[in-house]
Amino acid sequence: MSFQSYKAQKRVIEFLQTAIKQDRVAHGYLFYGPKCAYKREIAIEFAKVVNCEKGQLDPCDECPTCMQIQSGNHPDVVVIEPDGNVIKMEQIKQLQHRFRYQSAPGMTRVVILDSADRMRIETANTLLKFLEEPTSSMLAILITEQEKSIVQTVRSRCQTVRFVEPSWLELAKRWQVHGIQPPMNYVLAQCSYEFEQLEMDSDELEKIFRHVIEWSQLLVSKQSTAIVTIQEPWFQEMIQKKQVTLVLDFLMIWLRYVSRLTIRMSDENMVDFIQQGRNIAKRTTQNACAKMMEQVMITRKLVARPELSDQSLIEQLVIQLQKDAPSDWTKLGYS
């Protein structure tokens, strides 16, 4: 890969290349923006280009240094991500210990902290030791979705770099590069997932999506058997694998598509599913789809809370979708 592979972030790349060209690379950067905006990928490319043996504005991907960094095996380039739910103090201390030793000649040490907002305040303060006493041979890149989710003391020591959200078509191409074929690459482009989060191929993903379509037919027609679907093997497997969010995202995407079909708007990227979509659209309205999507969004947010049961939330969603009146989840104990 190279910088040129991320055309959606043209301004970011130009900014970073200008810093390299003018020999004004900062000691700390804060990359922030939407989840699927290539922040981590561009951080890796940046680590390569500041260390590339050919000294270009784009990594060559051929020299031993570029190849080692890309494979994650270079001793002077470290990626830290949450261990469980947080970046732990021990991870930062291990980094400090590792960087006590002399780097390879001519190397700029790079530490990339993915999901940097998931540090407790004491961990962030330990990290400050890297940022307050920078050396000419170290670069820290913090990655987050919201700029202000990083504590001010850390944020003030970094140059902030805003990433924009790529289009669905750009994201679809990215998924196809990872082996996810049409139409599922386009479906996944509408979700907030990284490739590493989904250990399924195109066929497996399409099978789940078609299950969701069948489930939606029961939900739209308010059939009592909709709740029985939750007990089916495919759904139980998704619950056990903690992938209920994927089911809900697929349901949201499908309802959005059906909503468009109710007003005779189609989508050429979803042509494989158009007949099923039209059949469901005949039995609902755009307004009804909007109300269903609202309930799915509420459930999607609640699923992220570890103290709540995924299965109970899905069962409650089905019950709410079968009601005509808007529901108040707070009255059900889901505040």
Side-chain angles (χ1 to χ4, degrees), residues 23-212:
D23 195 24
R24 297 181 64 181
V25 175
H27 292 292
Y29 288 91
L30 174 59
F31 288 4
Y32 73 96
K35 191 169 184 178
C36 295
Y38 312 122
K39 299 186 295 295
R40 179 164 171 160
E41 291 91 336
I42 289 177
I44 296 292
E45 297 303 317
F46 195 32
K48 287 194 292 184
V49 78
V50 297
N51 288 298
C52 181
E53 295 172 24
K54 294 189 177 180
Q56 304 171 151
L57 293 178
D58 208 33
C60 71
D61 285 328
E62 295 175 350
C63 69
T65 299
C66 280
M67 294 174 70
Q68 272 190 296
I69 294 173
Q70 184 62 46
S71 64
N73 293 322
H74 200 289
D76 290 323
V77 177
V78 180
V79 178
I80 296 177
E81 54 191 359
D83 181 2
N85 292 323
V86 297
I87 294 176
K88 297 178 179 177
M89 176 73 78
E90 184 60 29
Q91 291 174 275
I92 303 301
K93 288 183 176 180
Q94 287 175 358
L95 178 68
Q96 287 178 310
H97 180 74
R98 178 172 178 169
F99 277 13
R100 283 177 184 171
Y101 301 99
Q102 189 173 1
S103 62
M107 275 293 298
T108 295
R109 282 175 163 163
V110 182
V111 54
I112 299 169
L113 287 102
D114 203 349
S115 302
D117 52 293
R118 290 163 70 179
M119 285 188 292
R120 294 192 175 96
I121 187 67
E122 59 270 21
T123 307
N125 287 334
T126 302
L127 175 65
L128 278 176
K129 293 181 180 180
F130 283 101
L131 304 180
E132 288 176 339
E133 300 176 5
T135 66
S136 59
S137 60
M138 202 190 86
L139 166 64
I141 304 173
L142 282 65
I143 299 174
T144 185
E145 291 184 44
Q146 300 293 330
E147 177 188 4
K148 293 186 178 179
S149 64
I150 303 298
V151 295
Q152 174 61 26
T153 49
V154 174
R155 195 167 71 239
S156 64
R157 288 160 175 80
C158 299
Q159 282 196 15
T160 56
V161 183
R162 178 177 173 269
F163 284 63
V164 297
E165 186 166 9
S167 70
W168 287 353
L169 291 178
E170 288 172 320
L171 289 171
K173 290 177 183 177
R174 178 192 183 199
W175 278 106
Q176 196 162 5
V177 168
H178 285 297
I180 305 300
Q181 301 303 315
M184 290 313 299
N185 64 325
Y186 182 74
V187 172
L188 286 175
Q190 300 174 61
C191 304
S192 298
Y193 292 97
E194 299 292 344
F195 177 71
E196 296 79 9
Q197 293 176 276
L198 298 176
E199 298 179 353
M200 290 183 272
D201 60 26
S202 289
D203 292 340
E204 292 172 307
L205 288 164
E206 184 168 344
K207 187 175 180 180
I208 297 299
F209 191 61
R210 290 191 181 278
H211 278 311
V212 170

